[in-house]
Amino acid sequence: MADTPSPLETASTRALLARLLDEAAPVRRLRTPVARLGLWLIVVATIAGAVIGLGLMGVRSDLRVKLRDPVYLLEITALTVAGMLMAAGAFQEAVPGYQARWPIRRVALGFGLLAALLWFLQPRHGELAVTQFIGTGIGCASRTVVLAALPLCALLIAVRRGAPLAPARAGALAGGAAFLTAALLMRIDCPLDERLHLLVWHALPVAGGAGLSAVIGFVWLRRWRVRATR
Amino acid sequence: MDEETLRARSVQRARWMERVQRGDREAYDELLTDMAPPLLRFLRRRIADAHELEDVFQDTLMAVHRARHTYDPSRPFEPWLFAIARHVAVDHFRHRVALTSREVLVEVLPERGTDADPRNPCLAEALDRLPPAQREAFEMLQLEGMSVATAAARAGITTGALKVRAHRAYKALRTFLGG
């Protein structure tokens, strides 16, 4: 070790430091996670407004009655909070060393599980035929995927602008946020309050979407270290 | 060093970093000079091998450079810096475990290739993606045509270590260039 020069003194380190100084161009600072969350919510609200406004999606006919049901309200609230917190978590993942004051990921997961639990407590309608179950279910699942696509792309692109040190986790959080938001919109649209329908065609796409997004994140979000210097 | 001095130094680093984000070369120079020793101490606690330490140290500097737009000057600088350093070190260990399970050290390095022209845009881009130490090894051997011994002496490392770096560079380039 005695004859090994310190990494601070080697020619290659000195050359690297000189290169970094040469590349000291101004950079556009990343907005804070809170500000970016606000922007993302505006994007999501715009997409939801456009989808409903253009008649691509409706609202359930009994929505007024359902809004007086505390369980339904709790379910909607849990989906909203879980989606927002997961998006906040994804934005925080983009900033190295960012430490929130409270365990945001766990709380988000808790609200997500609360929504799933409330779906599990819904009544079971045994009389639904298998073809009907699959037919209506595929419609719900596919619309969930379509609704989640744009918010997910926006979120992944926004996270990639940062430097996510745990890309798979960042991807999972982004997927969770986008699919929970889509699940929320679907709950306002879909009139079926049936346990199996909700668990299979509403909850599973959220879990699958988050998992797929984790894979996308692992492959795509980790490239910030090798991309061209800004 | 007392707590007050540490806090003052942290505030100073945050100010330098803020100026670095605006493209201030002088502030960048001061920041790099100031943060290098603690960064090296941090990495030395995790990496015993001097050559690996140099690789990881340089990779960390590159990562800090590429992530500099993510730093928020209203927050302390050190958690941001050491989170990146920890990530680079862990990443390095993962790669090393994966590589050592597959790589074979060659006795004779391949002859200089005719397509190793730095003006080739594909090669130039792939070279940019290499860690600095590997890039240097490749350039000295393949582009400047140095012998292994001369290149090792210039880099201040053993010939064995240089061969390892060059070998990793070839493998990485092969992957980047889809060969």
Side-chain angles (χ1 to χ4, degrees):
Chain A
M1 274 301 275
D3 59 342
T4 311
S6 159
L8 291 173
E9 294 156 9
T10 61
S12 58
T13 300
R14 282 200 295 271
L16 173 66
L17 290 171
R19 195 176 130 204
L20 295 183
L21 289 175
D22 285 343
E23 292 178 9
V27 286
R28 202 176 66 180
R29 190 187 303 151
L30 209 64
R31 288 191 179 90
T32 63
V34 175
R36 304 181 86 208
L37 175 65
L39 286 175
W40 185 74
L41 289 175
I42 291 170
V43 169
V44 169
T46 309
I47 292 169
V51 166
I52 295 171
L54 293 171
L56 302 172
M57 193 190 115
V59 289
R60 52 194 295 170
S61 54
D62 62 345
L63 187 63
R64 277 193 186 165
V65 180
K66 288 298 287 181
L67 285 175
R68 275 182 238 126
D69 174 2
V71 176
Y72 182 76
L73 276 180
L74 184 60
E75 191 187 315
I76 295 290
T77 308
L79 286 170
T80 310
V81 174
M84 278 175 58
L85 290 182
M86 286 211 181
F91 285 122
Q92 287 180 4
E93 288 290 332
V95 181
Y98 191 98
Q99 284 174 341
R101 290 191 183 89
W102 42 284
I104 200 164
R105 292 194 301 265
R106 282 185 207 162
V107 178
L109 193 63
F111 274 100
L113 290 175
L114 173 65
L117 177 71
L118 293 172
W119 285 344
F120 189 77
L121 296 177
Q122 293 289 327
R124 176 85 214 279
H125 296 165
E127 71 274 13
L128 207 64
V130 176
T131 48
Q132 204 183 351
F133 174 75
I134 295 173
T136 52
I138 284 180
C140 283
S142 52
R143 270 184 293 167
T144 303
V145 173
V146 170
L147 285 170
L150 269 179
L152 177 60
C153 289
L155 202 43
L156 285 174
I157 291 168
V159 172
R160 197 172 188 259
R161 276 252 318 126
L165 301 183
R169 193 167 62 203
L173 285 166
F179 276 84
L180 280 165
T181 308
L184 167 71
L185 292 173
M186 283 308 298
R187 266 316 265 150
I188 296 170
D189 176 32
C190 174
L192 275 174
D193 297 323
E194 201 268 337
R195 183 196 304 169
L196 211 55
H197 173 80
L198 289 170
L199 288 175
V200 174
W201 304 111
H202 288 234
L204 276 187
V206 176
L212 182 69
S213 184
V215 176
I216 296 171
F218 181 73
V219 174
W220 194 61
L221 293 179
R222 67 178 171 166
R223 296 197 179 162
W224 66 270
R225 272 181 61 195
V226 290
R227 74 189 164 205
T229 309
R230 284 151 200 279
Chain B
M1 209 180 286
D2 61 71
E3 205 170 306
E4 190 114 336
T5 316
L6 283 173
R7 204 175 301 132
R9 182 166 266 193
S10 180
V11 169
Q12 180 59 57
R13 285 177 185 147
R15 281 191 195 133
W16 277 329
M17 195 61 190
E18 195 175 6
R19 284 166 55 194
V20 169
Q21 290 175 330
R22 292 199 298 262
D24 187 330
R25 196 175 190 273
E26 205 175 294
Y28 203 7
D29 195 12
E30 300 228 46
L31 178 68
L32 288 170
T33 308
D34 182 72
M35 77 180 205
L39 176 62
L40 202 53
R41 275 197 299 276
F42 178 85
L43 293 172
R44 200 169 264 148
R45 284 200 294 270
R46 287 157 176 81
I47 302 159
D49 181 89
H51 303 302
E52 280 186 33
L53 177 66
E54 187 183 347
D55 279 353
V56 176
F57 177 67
Q58 294 184 355
D59 281 352
T60 305
L61 292 177
M62 294 284 284
V64 164
H65 182 74
R66 282 174 180 157
R68 67 194 190 280
H69 66 293
T70 66
Y71 175 67
D72 177 358
S74 67
R75 288 181 161 256
F77 177 75
E78 289 75 15
W80 180 85
L81 172 69
F82 294 127
I84 294 175
R86 195 177 304 112
H87 166 74
V88 174
V90 169
D91 213 31
H92 172 81
F93 289 131
R94 279 198 201 120
H95 274 99
R96 193 181 63 179
V97 169
L99 277 173
T100 47
S101 64
R102 282 175 300 177
E103 75 182 3
V104 179
L105 280 179
V106 289
E107 278 304 310
V108 183
L109 289 167
E111 288 297 312
R112 181 179 176 164
T114 50
D115 55 348
D117 185 345
R119 289 165 302 183
N120 177 342
C122 294
L123 178 62
E125 197 179 306
L127 281 175
D128 274 345
R129 295 170 66 184
L130 287 179
Q134 290 178 21
R135 179 189 168 138
E136 184 193 36
F138 178 87
E139 285 178 344
M140 286 191 293
L141 293 174
Q142 297 298 319
L143 304 182
E144 295 174 35
M146 285 184 190
S147 70
V148 173
T150 314
R154 191 206 266 188
I157 58 175
T158 63
T159 52
L162 187 96
K163 281 182 186 177
V164 171
R165 284 186 191 178
H167 181 69
R168 288 176 181 168
Y170 300 145
K171 283 183 83 171
L173 287 173
R174 211 174 294 137
T175 310
F176 296 154
L177 297 170

